[in-house]
């Protein structure tokens, strides 16, 4: 969410009515999240000036660990230098820390492609935004899910119940540091996740949603101590419930 919002902001800056705008003091502390959108807190160090040049050798974009040769345009400006400077800063301050951990395994290769392409400046902001929107579409639609055996049939569902708080175990990446709370596309995906985790005996789906509209599922190591909850459905492994009365 943070990276996509940042890319949308940089897309606007690259195509603003004033021209391509560069953020000269590009640091994480210069941004805040407001209603799920990333915003710049300080525009004092923004500029529309692009580096003047006479030849291509005048257009080297330097960073502490990398340098990029750019072209000198016919009007004597380094082509796209503001856009590329913003994009590489987004890569080194945000993408490298957030993208490797923020998607299901099936989508991680696509995010790695974005990471590598922006780190080498092979993508401009237009290509980067399209790549992010493709990943978002796959994520929201569930099209990233690989065909696999149907596992939900191995679970008993009880609508109108959930387990007592505190029966969970911790997992990564979880929306809660107290347990294993993950976003899912469907109950079938939740069943696959539960089957892949040795501790998991049940999971609960409520009406809580993430910013993409995906449900949240809480994975539990126990299914005992059920309590009524009209907005929840608890799914219990048949193997875990055998010999017990529900």
């Amino acid at each position: 969410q943070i990276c996509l919002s940042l890319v949308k902001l940089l897309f606007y800056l690259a195509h603003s009515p004033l021209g391509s705008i560069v953020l000269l003091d590009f640091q994480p502390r210069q941004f805040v999240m407001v209603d799920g959108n990333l915003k710049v807190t300080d525009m004092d160090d923004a500029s529309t000036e692009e580096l003047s040049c006479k030849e291509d050798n005048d257009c080297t974009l330097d960073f502490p660990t990398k340098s990029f040769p750019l072209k000198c345009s016919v009007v004597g400006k380094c082509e796209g230098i503001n856009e590329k400077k913003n994009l590489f800063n987004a890569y080194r301050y945000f993408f490298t820390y957030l993208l490797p951990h923020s998607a299901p395994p099936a989508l991680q290769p696509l995010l790695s492609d974005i990471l590598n392409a922006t780190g080498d400046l092979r993508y401009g902001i237009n290509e980067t935004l399209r790549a992010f929107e493709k990943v978002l579409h796959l994520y929201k639609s569930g099209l990233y899910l690989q065909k696999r055996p149907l596992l939900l049939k191995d679970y008993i569902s009880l609508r109108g119940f959930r387990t007592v708080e505190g029966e969970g175990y911790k997992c990564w990446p979880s929306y809660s540091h107290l347990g294993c709370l993950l976003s899912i596309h469907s109950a079938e995906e939740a069943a696959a996740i539960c089957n892949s985790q040795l501790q998991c005996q049940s999971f609960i789906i409520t009406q809580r949603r993430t910013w993409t509209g995906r449900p949240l599922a809480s994975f539990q190591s126990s299914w005992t101590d059920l309590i009524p909850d009209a907005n929840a459905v608890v799914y219990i492994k048949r193997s875990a419930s055998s010999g017990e009365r529900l």
Side-chain angles (χ1 to χ4, degrees):
Q1 182 181 12
I2 293 172
C3 291
L4 175 62
S5 187
L6 177 59
V7 168
K8 289 180 177 179
L9 173 61
L10 297 187
F11 179 85
Y12 173 79
L13 293 179
H15 301 285
S16 84
L18 300 176
S20 182
I21 298 174
V22 63
L23 301 177
L24 299 175
D25 186 20
F26 198 114
Q27 300 284 340
R29 64 174 179 268
Q30 300 283 37
F31 300 89
V32 294
M33 290 292 286
V34 180
D35 297 328
N37 295 306
L38 204 68
K39 296 185 180 293
V40 184
T41 61
D42 185 2
M43 293 293 290
D44 289 346
D45 293 311
S47 173
T48 58
E49 291 295 321
E50 292 196 307
L51 187 64
S52 298
C53 57
K54 292 183 179 179
E55 57 184 26
D56 290 349
N57 288 338
D58 298 329
C59 293
T60 301
L61 183 57
D62 289 316
F63 292 96
T65 58
K66 279 189 176 182
S67 295
F68 300 95
L70 304 181
K71 296 290 185 181
C72 183
S73 70
V74 293
V75 296
K77 297 290 183 180
C78 295
E79 286 185 359
I81 191 167
N82 288 352
E83 172 188 329
K84 293 180 185 298
K85 187 171 184 178
N86 283 341
L87 190 55
F88 189 79
N89 278 327
Y91 158 80
R92 66 178 181 146
Y93 287 120
F94 288 88
F95 297 172
T96 54
Y97 298 104
L98 299 177
L99 288 188
H101 314 292
S102 55
L107 290 177
Q108 287 176 4
L110 296 178
L111 292 181
S112 294
D113 289 344
I114 295 174
L115 194 63
N116 293 332
T118 53
D120 295 334
L121 286 185
R122 288 183 284 109
Y123 279 2
I125 192 61
N126 294 357
E127 295 89 347
T128 303
L129 180 58
R130 282 198 296 269
F132 266 101
E133 288 179 336
K134 176 183 177 181
V135 174
L136 180 63
H137 172 68
L138 294 173
Y139 185 61
K140 292 174 69 174
S141 65
L143 291 173
Y144 68 91
L145 293 170
Q146 300 171 347
K147 290 184 178 180
R148 63 182 74 184
L150 298 179
L151 301 172
L152 199 58
K153 66 182 185 308
D154 298 328
Y155 289 77
I156 297 169
S157 65
L158 295 173
R159 187 170 299 276
F161 290 93
R162 63 176 173 83
T163 56
V164 176
E165 295 292 335
E167 293 293 333
Y169 57 90
K170 296 180 180 180
C171 69
W172 176 262
S174 175
Y175 281 81
S176 169
H177 68 281
L178 298 175
C180 187
L181 186 65
L182 304 174
S183 77
I184 56 168
H185 176 257
S186 63
E188 188 64 53
E189 183 183 14
I193 294 172
C194 189
N195 274 27
S196 70
Q197 299 176 343
L198 293 177
Q199 308 99 312
C200 188
Q201 296 297 316
S202 65
F203 59 89
I204 302 100
I205 301 177
T206 68
Q207 293 184 348
R208 296 173 61 190
R209 296 290 188 270
T210 69
W211 66 281
T212 60
R214 287 164 54 99
L216 286 172
S218 176
F219 296 86
Q220 308 284 325
S221 57
S222 171
W223 58 268
T224 57
D225 298 325
L226 297 179
I227 58 176
D229 186 336
N231 297 318
V233 183
V234 60
Y235 294 84
I236 303 166
K237 280 184 178 178
R238 292 184 183 275
S239 58
S241 65
S242 60
E244 301 285 348
R245 291 187 62 188
L246 292 179

